[in-house]
Amino acid sequence: MILLVPLALAYVGAVIYVAVMLLSRIMNVEPLTVGAVYVVLYIINLLYNWIMRILFA
């Protein structure tokens, strides 16, 4: 079970990487900008999840 965690992370990372590259190609933006936006959204999502967990625990 523990061995699956790095694999899952690597898979998710690869999917995100491909998505960022495709988006930057389509929108003609720097990959870094797309990546930064994605990371910010991800962090907001994590915080939101924690807040919801604490409120409705």
Side-chain angles (χ1 to χ4, degrees), residues 20-44:
V20 166
M21 283 306 169
L22 283 174
L23 272 174
S24 59
R25 279 276 169 79
I26 292 165
M27 295 163 66
N28 285 328
V29 207
E30 287 294 314
L32 273 178
T33 352
V34 184
V37 169
Y38 200 93
V39 166
V40 168
L41 286 174
Y42 181 73
I43 290 168
I44 289 168

